[in-house]
């Protein structure tokens, strides 16, 4: 007879992955495109994890798919700043080593997340503008004319893309990529490429990726708060606490989380937040609102 006083421990899934397509309002006619775009990216990342690949590779691969999809404001499909220019930001963090690679305010990269991933082996964490382009050229980054990334966009708001993954070795990684906010001043950088603000990953605790009002996320160092909460509580309550703190300064956000035990969850105070997730033993699913995701037991 099992001891009724001992809580059954859920087994950690061998791998898990969650991607998002931005915290914002999604017009009803664009919901399918958001769900299917997130699913496509998820499946690409999932294939890496199932084959025994690393969480870092899964995150980069999933975000490359999102950067290719003009539904999302990242890579191809980025919004324009006040000068009519594309300026992308992206970052990736390896929870195994705490290495971070990030690029910001850069226009000519076909896949900003891959240039950020190339920086993981460098001492520097963040390169901006022309310096980031020079680094990309020197490291076989795929270059393009900044205008090649722009498309006609019917929607606005926040829609950074992001991904968090746990691999079968037990390592975590997080990533973000964004075209920033439409009409913002030239050179403006939000939370997305800043560890502790738009993303964080630490194998001992968990990994998180955020979207939303970048200035509010920076002021509250929301990714760092989320990570600290995860040291004490499961992802669900940690997300709730982070959104409560954000409410104190205002601003919309969406958050995705996997903790060191492979517990996965997500939340938002924006009207919608496109998300897809999967883990070993649980098929891929996509949603545009947390309330649609019946897995209340996610955490
Ligand atoms: N957080 C991003 C930024 O402020 C925007 C977004 O999430 O879409 O640049």
């Amino acid at each position: 007879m099992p001891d009724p006083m001992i809580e059954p421990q859920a087994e950690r899934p061998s791998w898990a992955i969650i991607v998002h397509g931005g915290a914002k309002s999604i017009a009803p006619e664009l919901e399918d495109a958001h769900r299917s775009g997130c699913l496509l990216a998820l499946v690409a990342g999932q294939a890496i994890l199932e084959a025994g690949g690393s969480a870092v590779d899964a995150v980069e691969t999933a975000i490359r798919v999102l950067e290719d999809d003009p539904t999302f404001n990242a890579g191809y499909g980025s919004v324009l700043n006040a000068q009519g220019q594309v300026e992308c930001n992206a970052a990736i963090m390896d929870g195994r080593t705490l290495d971070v690679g990030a690029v910001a305010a850069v226009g000519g990269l076909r896949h900003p997340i891959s240039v950020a991933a190339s920086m993981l082996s460098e001492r520097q964490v963040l390169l901006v503008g022309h310096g980031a382009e020079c680094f990309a050229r020197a490291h076989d980054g795929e270059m393009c004319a900044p205008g090649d990334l722009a498309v006609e966009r019917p929607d606005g708001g926040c829609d950074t893309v992001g991904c968090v993954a746990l691999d079968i070795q037990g390592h975590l990684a997080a990533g973000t990529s964004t075209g920033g906010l439409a009409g913002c001043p030239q050179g403006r950088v939000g939370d997305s490429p800043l560890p502790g603000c738009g993303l964080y990953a630490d194998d001992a605790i968990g990994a998180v990726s955020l979207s939303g009002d970048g200035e509010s996320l920076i002021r509250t160092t929301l990714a760092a708060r989320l990570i600290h909460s995860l040291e004490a509580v499961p992802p669900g309550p940690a997300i709730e606490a982070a959104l409560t703190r954000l409410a104190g300064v205002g601003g919309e956000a969406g958050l995705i989380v996997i903790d060191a035990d492979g517990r996965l969850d997500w939340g938002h105070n924006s009207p919608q937040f496109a998300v897809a997730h999967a883990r070993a033993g649980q098929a891929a699913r996509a949603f545009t609102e947390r309330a649609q995701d019946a897995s209340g037991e996610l955490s």
Side-chain angles (χ1 to χ4, degrees), residues 225-230 233-243 255 257:
R225 281 175 190 276
L226 195 47
I227 285 286
H228 288 312
S229 295
L230 286 173
V233 297
I239 289 168
E240 236 172 83
L243 289 174
L255 305 79
V257 176

Side-chain angles (χ1 to χ4, degrees), residues 18 239 255-256 265-267 273 275 277 287 289-290 293 298:
I18 178 165
I239 289 168
L255 305 79
I256 59 174
D265 210 336
W266 58 292
F273 188 44
V275 160
H277 58 74
F287 309 91
E289 287 176 40
R290 178 65 180 84
D293 188 349
L298 273 177

Side-chain angles (χ1 to χ4, degrees), residues 11 22 46 52 66 70 72-73 87 100 117-118 120 141 184 192 197 201 218 232-233 242 252 258 267 277 279:
E11 212 177 287
Q46 178 178 336
L66 294 162
F72 306 107
N73 168 22
E87 288 188 317
V100 184
S118 307
L120 281 170
C184 67
S192 308
C197 299
I218 293 170
V233 297
E252 291 185 345
I258 300 177
H277 58 74
R279 53 186 168 175

